[in-house]
Structures are given as C-alpha cells and as structure tokens.
Amino acid sequence: MIRPHPPNESPAEKPCHSGEEGAWVSPWALDEEWRDAPKAKRGSALFANEAAAPQPPSTPSPDAAPAPQAAPVIKKTATAAESPTPRMPVLGRISAPRAASDSLRRANSWGTLVFLSMGALAFAFIAWTYLEDEKTVGFDQDLLLRPPIDQAPTISTPEKLRKFLDSLKSLDAPAERRPPWLWDTPTLARAMQSNGVALDNLRDLLEDADWHPHHSSWHAEDMGSDPRWHQAMLLKQVEAAYLSRRRLEEDAFTAAIDLAEIGWRLEQMRAWPSFYQRSLEAHMRAAQTLADLLRQTKLPENTLRQFQRQFSVCQPSTEMLVERMNASYVHEKKLILGPKSGENLDTMPGGVQLQRPGRLLFKPHATVRLFAEAFRQLRDEAKAPLAQASEVQLKNAPEAGGGIKPNAEGGAYFMQRMKIYTPLPAFLGLARARGNLIITLFAVRRCIAEKKALPSSLDQLRSLHFLLDVPLDPFTGAPLHFEPSRGMIWSVGNDLKSTGGRPTEPPMEDATEPTLEIGVAVANAVK
C-alpha cells in the first residue's frame, strides 16, 4: 500500500528510516535483491568499494513514524587539486573471455593460412603436371631425313598427275566386281574408248624422266588420298586385259609393268603417307595382272626376261619402308609443331602451319615423343628378317580410358593417326610374297618357253640361269612351295601354315595362302 505524502513534504525531502526511530538509512539498503548475487562476484574487484557505494533504499514500514527532514546537501565541484585520483577500470570478469576469443581468432587465422598454402601448392603441382610440356632437344635425330634439296624452281609432274586424275571417266564395270580379264570384250572396249584421253595423259606422266620426289611442290596437296586412284589402277588392268584379248600380248605386259612402275614412283614420295598406301595397292594390282598374263603367255624367253627384269626393279623393299617411317615421323611432327618443327616452311603439309587439335589436355612435345617411339618400333619391325604376319602392336600405346590424364587428348590423337601406319609392315610382307611369286613364275615360264618342259625344282631354275637366287617366302625365310605336278606355286601367307595352295580369282587374293597357277595345260601343249 502506498501512503500519501504529507501536504508540506515532497518525496525528495522525505527521509528514509530503518527499523530504529530516528536513524537515517540509505535508500539502497532497503533493496535486498542485490544481496542475492553470487559471492564470487560480490567479492570481486568490481565490488571492492561496496562500502562506499550508496546503499539501496529500504521500503519504510507502514507503522514507522516519519523521519525528520534532512538538510539540503550542497554539491561541491572538486578542483584539479582536490579531485580524486581516477581509478583504472577493473576488467576481471570480462578480460578472460576476450583473451580466449583473441587466441581462437589467431589460431583460426593460422589454420586458414596453412590450408590456403597447401591448396596453392597442390594447384601449382597439378597445373605443372597437366600443362608442363618439356622440350627435349635432339631426341629424334635418328628419325630426321636430310635428303638432297631439289633446286628446281618449279616442276610439271604434280600438274601432270592432277591432269591424269581429272581426265578419268567412270568405268562401266560389271556388277559382280570381277577382275577385268573376266569381263566380256564389249565392256572392255567401251571402258577403253571412254578413257582414251586419260590413258594418253598417263603415258605422258610415265614418260617424265624425273618425278622430283623430294621437291616441295608435292607437299602442297595430298593427291595420294584422291579416291580416283582406284579407278586409275583398274583402268590399267582393263587396258592389259583388252590388249591380251586382241592378241597384243607384249603390249598387255607393258601395261601391267606400267602399273608396277606407278607403284615404284609413288613409293619414293616422302610428302604424304597416302602415297605409300597407293604404292602397295599398285604393286598388288600389277602382280595380279601379270599372274593372269603369265599363266597363258606364249612370248619368247628373251622377251619374258626383259619384263622379269623390269618387274624386279619395281619391287617394294624393306629399305624404302624404313625411309617411309622416318618421313612419316617428320610429317606428323610438322602437323603438330608447324614452323617450330625446324622443317622448311615450304614443306608444311598443305601449306598449313599448324593442324593439331587446340585442346586443353594436349601436350605437343609429349605427343611428338610418342610418335618418335612408335616409328622407331615400326622401323625395327620392318627390318626384321621375316615379314610381319599381322598389324604391329605399339609398345607405347596409351591406355584407353582411365579418367582425365595430363596428355589424354594427345594420346587419343596419337592413336588415331597411328592407325594409318601400324598395318604397313604386314602389307609390305604380303607385297613381297606376291612379288617373289611373280618373279618365280616368270622364271618357270621362261624355262617352258626355252626348254619346252617344266623345271623339277626351283633350284634347277637357278642352275639354268633363269633365277639369280631362289626367291624366299618372306613369312618363313624358306623357299616358296612349288609343285610341278599340280602346276602351282604358293606362300604360307600370314597364317604361317601351308595347306597345299589355294588358287583364287584374282590370283593371290587370299592373304593366308597366296597362290599362283603356272598354266600346266599350256606347258603341256608346248612340250
């Protein structure tokens, strides 16, 4: 209950009383709640001057008499000399948490710094692993070709070759895809008439004494990959078959030898890898055409001897494939590094300075080293005494898949490009087998033409001087199989097994058993 003040007494002038009458008590002494605070806090430095602090007021008892009025207190401003010494604030209760917080912040700062440093180091290592592309000087000196530079300012052979390919007309070939010597005569005649200009252009091309295989003009255009080459080679087979049908046998042999010469000319080209592929194809078609002509020939021995010599000169060789591997490495290096490859700028493929894919995970120099190792392996495989029976498996082939790797795109590019080259040693082995079979058949037909009898063995052909050396089977290193009674000569082929020879049409089409028929009926007729 609140008691009203006396009329002449204001609340500010009302004195506070304790239980004893007349004793003055601080108003704060009447508030008992502050005493409930913990003793640890009350005894701290914050309450060191508790006695001097104003006492909380106490609530006056309803029965207590009113206290006498206190005299007014006049506040006196202390001078500088009389002012009390200021006390430093006591931080006992709040300093400990703040110090702990500062220590925690410092610890967190060091941890963040260490974490960021480790992250920066990891990023630098990863960046170095994925982006560093070390340049190695002189690692490919054994692969670089230094052929004599052709000083001719311009040459006409590339233009003649382009003119020949452009003049080819579509052949009216039978739907059965049979070889031309099995076509009927009217079909052969129509094919010859429609391509008279192309044959004249090819004759002009072959009469060129020097094709300048090392000239920079061959690098301007990849004419070896022109799809019309297949039609051009078929046309020469058509010509040989047509001339043979007209009893112009010597001209027919000349057409077949022209096809072998085309292969020999293309084999010497160093500009594009497609030239070597077309070379092996031309050799195969020349051998198959000569096989058909030889099994029914009636030419004299001296004429056959001349054609045998011409064909032997055009045979594909291991030495040319070794040079082709070196030239192919230089070609791939120029595609990747462009002018930085160190090669002449006028020999850049197609005039393009750089054709490598512009991808993140592609290291040019590391990819070039992959090509160098692969071409060394292919070169060694080509030098092996025996022919390769299958496609070469690269020792340094990058593993497929496996996530993101430092040179993943370079490895994929390398594997895609090497698909052109890995079958070449096996193709060369098969071409050598076919060539040795044809040379042997030439010797047998010469023996028949002169001696009027079949030889009893291949060694007899050497003793009769129809062969300088007995041709070997490149797949085994042993002499070719020869059976006069059956009238067949064959190689074991790329399966390395002999099953007695299997004649095919066109001849030697089966890679597992390339076989030639001698023409025993003709041989018996001339006995």
Side-chain angles (χ1 to χ4, degrees), residues 293-354:
L293 295 175
L294 283 169
R295 64 186 172 187
Q296 55 185 339
T297 183
K298 295 181 180 179
L299 290 176
E301 187 274 335
N302 60 340
T303 305
L304 291 174
R305 182 174 67 248
Q306 296 297 326
F307 286 128
Q308 180 184 358
R309 183 179 297 113
Q310 294 175 23
F311 179 77
S312 299
V313 171
C314 297
Q315 281 301 286
S317 64
T318 300
E319 293 75 19
M320 295 300 290
L321 179 59
V322 170
E323 290 188 20
R324 178 70 260 174
M325 293 296 100
N326 293 350
S328 297
Y329 166 73
V330 175
H331 176 79
E332 296 297 333
K333 183 179 180 181
K334 288 188 288 188
L335 286 179
I336 295 175
L337 300 181
K340 296 182 181 179
S341 63
E343 301 297 322
N344 296 330
L345 295 181
D346 59 350
T347 64
M348 292 296 110
V352 177
Q353 301 297 314
L354 192 64

Side-chain angles (χ1 to χ4, degrees), residues 200-245:
D200 291 339
N201 292 335
L202 179 58
R203 191 173 298 108
D204 183 37
L205 177 65
L206 292 176
E207 289 175 356
D208 195 331
D210 189 359
W211 277 40
H212 301 270
H214 303 297
H215 200 273
S216 59
S217 298
W218 292 109
H219 296 271
E221 181 183 353
D222 185 10
M223 287 189 288
S225 62
D226 195 311
R228 292 174 294 183
W229 271 111
H230 303 287
Q231 184 177 352
M233 296 176 189
L234 180 60
L235 176 60
K236 291 302 294 182
Q237 289 183 304
V238 167
E239 181 184 19
Y242 178 73
L243 294 172
S244 176
R245 194 76 55 84

Side-chain angles (χ1 to χ4, degrees), residues 480-498:
L480 295 167
H481 292 273
F482 173 56
E483 285 192 10
S485 60
R486 297 176 57 208
M488 285 191 297
I489 311 171
W490 71 91
S491 162
V492 299
N494 56 20
D495 65 348
L496 307 180
K497 298 178 182 180
S498 176

Side-chain angles (χ1 to χ4, degrees), residues 51-273:
Q55 299 297 322
S58 59
T59 305
S61 175
D63 299 330
Q69 183 177 1
V73 180
I74 302 174
K75 294 183 180 181
K76 180 178 178 182
T77 304
T79 62
E82 297 175 350
S83 62
T85 303
R87 292 183 300 163
M88 295 298 294
V90 181
L91 304 175
R93 201 173 61 162
I94 61 176
S95 61
R98 183 176 299 173
S101 176
D102 291 343
S103 300
L104 183 59
R105 282 196 298 270
R106 286 195 295 270
N108 290 339
S109 299
W110 277 107
T112 303
L113 182 60
V114 171
F115 177 78
L116 293 177
S117 300
M118 294 181 63
L121 289 175
F123 177 79
F125 176 75
I126 294 174
W128 179 84
T129 302
Y130 279 82
L131 300 180
E132 172 64 18
D133 189 20
E134 182 181 359
K135 299 179 181 179
T136 306
V137 179
F139 72 98
D140 57 353
Q141 290 299 316
D142 59 317
L143 292 168
L144 299 181
L145 290 176
R146 299 302 178 198
I149 299 177
D150 197 325
Q151 299 293 337
T154 58
I155 59 175
S156 60
T157 318
E159 184 59 33
K160 290 180 179 179
L161 177 57
R162 189 179 299 106
K163 183 180 179 181
F164 161 64
L165 294 175
D166 291 340
S167 61
L168 287 169
K169 302 298 181 181
S170 177
L171 296 176
D172 185 15
E176 296 86 354
R177 300 291 181 182
R178 294 177 298 168
W181 48 87
L182 297 181
W183 297 3
D184 58 80
T185 304
T187 303
L188 293 174
R190 286 194 300 270
M192 289 289 293
Q193 291 174 0
S194 61
N195 283 277
V197 176
L199 289 172
D200 291 339
N201 292 335
L202 179 58
R203 191 173 298 108
D204 183 37
L205 177 65
L206 292 176
E207 289 175 356
D208 195 331
D210 189 359
W211 277 40
H212 301 270
H214 303 297
H215 200 273
S216 59
S217 298
W218 292 109
H219 296 271
E221 181 183 353
D222 185 10
M223 287 189 288
S225 62
D226 195 311
R228 292 174 294 183
W229 271 111
H230 303 287
Q231 184 177 352
M233 296 176 189
L234 180 60
L235 176 60
K236 291 302 294 182
Q237 289 183 304
V238 167
E239 181 184 19
Y242 178 73
L243 294 172
S244 176
R245 194 76 55 84
R246 293 185 58 190
R247 308 289 184 178
L248 301 173
E249 192 175 354
E250 190 169 343
D251 293 338
F253 269 88
T254 300
I257 296 298
D258 285 347
L259 194 53
E261 184 181 352
I262 291 174
W264 178 69
R265 295 283 190 182
L266 296 177
E267 187 184 19
Q268 301 176 61
M269 296 295 176
R270 301 291 182 268
W272 300 87

Side-chain angles (χ1 to χ4, degrees), residues 24-41:
W24 183 88
V25 181
S26 171
W28 299 104
L30 300 178
D31 187 2
E32 299 295 330
E33 293 180 1
W34 70 280
R35 298 181 184 275
D36 297 332
K39 293 183 178 181
K41 295 182 180 180

